[in-house]
Amino acid sequence: MKAKEIVTLQRSLLVDTEKLLNTQVEMEGTSSAYYLSMASWCHMMGYENAAKYLYTHSDEERMHMMKIFQYINEAGGHAFQPEITGIRHNFNSLREIFELILEHEIAVTKSINNIVDHAFSKKDFATFSFMQWYVTEQREEETMSRRALELFDIIGEEGVGLWTIDQELGKLHAAAHPQV
Ligand code: OFO
């Protein structure tokens, strides 16, 4: 019997579940890198509050990655440090950034839902239970991303519009992270 087969006999985590979780590690790591790149663009462009919002969001995504990383190893699997390349550095506008964030968060939600569905169908209730935190988190993140994007339509981008949007992004960030 191969070493890998012996290891999988000593754990309840299925190989295909481990693969899905490692794919999610990569997705959370990509989110962190993507938001850091967006934060840098905002910072460079003088959108101070948008930059703060995105630096924090990037840190949070790394924390999301690490929670799954630790879970895989604690469950007897092997978490892989993901290779993250091809991160975009330039953006056309502040609005484009927040459109991309909402789109990205919806993709993350679908990926989380897929793991939850898989874990339930395999009767892996430990992973199913562990992933509930992410279900709630995605619900909150999608709402926050939608609120941010709505600011562009409510306020408008003309005149002092973009400055005002940046101020409002600062308030959204402060409400969600009173400790930062
Ligand atoms: Fe990891 O929560 Fe968004 O992507």
Side-chain angles (χ1 to χ4, degrees), residues 28 31 35 57 61 64 104-105 108 134 137-138 141:
E28 302 291 341
S31 302
Y35 297 157
H57 205 164
E61 296 297 350
H64 297 174
H104 185 72
E105 288 301 330
V108 173
Y134 288 86
E137 180 69 13
Q138 280 310 120
E141 288 202 349

Side-chain angles (χ1 to χ4, degrees), residues 34-98:
Y34 198 26
Y35 297 157
L36 183 60
S37 181
M38 290 173 170
S40 181
W41 186 89
C42 291
H43 204 174
M44 181 231 355
M45 294 293 286
Y47 299 120
E48 294 281 337
N49 291 299
K52 197 170 173 193
Y53 177 112
L54 286 161
Y55 282 129
T56 303
H57 205 164
S58 172
D59 285 347
E60 286 177 350
E61 296 297 350
R62 180 175 157 77
M63 180 271 283
H64 297 174
M65 178 185 86
M66 289 310 298
K67 270 172 82 96
I68 302 175
F69 201 92
Q70 305 280 2
Y71 177 83
I72 294 170
N73 286 333
E74 282 167 10
H78 187 177
F80 298 139
Q81 157 66 43
E83 275 184 38
I84 297 165
T85 53
I87 296 297
R88 186 171 160 185
H89 298 296
N90 285 303
F91 302 90
N92 296 315
S93 64
L94 189 61
R95 183 188 189 112
E96 184 193 28
I97 283 188
F98 283 89

Side-chain angles (χ1 to χ4, degrees), residues 9-25:
L9 286 175
Q10 292 168 347
R11 65 183 217 193
S12 54
L13 184 69
L14 298 172
V15 170
D16 51 356
T17 309
E18 180 182 2
K19 274 192 194 144
L20 279 177
L21 290 169
N22 263 314
T23 301
Q24 194 61 37
V25 163

Side-chain angles (χ1 to χ4, degrees), residues 81-135:
Q81 157 66 43
E83 275 184 38
I84 297 165
T85 53
I87 296 297
R88 186 171 160 185
H89 298 296
N90 285 303
F91 302 90
N92 296 315
S93 64
L94 189 61
R95 183 188 189 112
E96 184 193 28
I97 283 188
F98 283 89
E99 285 170 349
L100 290 170
I101 293 171
L102 181 57
E103 194 181 298
H104 185 72
E105 288 301 330
I106 290 169
V108 173
T109 299
K110 285 183 184 158
S111 180
I112 298 286
N113 287 347
N114 184 44
I115 298 174
V116 171
D117 184 51
H118 170 85
F120 192 78
S121 73
K122 299 289 181 182
K123 293 190 167 43
D124 179 353
F125 299 119
T127 301
F128 177 82
S129 165
F130 169 72
M131 291 305 295
Q132 296 311 302
W133 184 88
Y134 288 86
V135 171

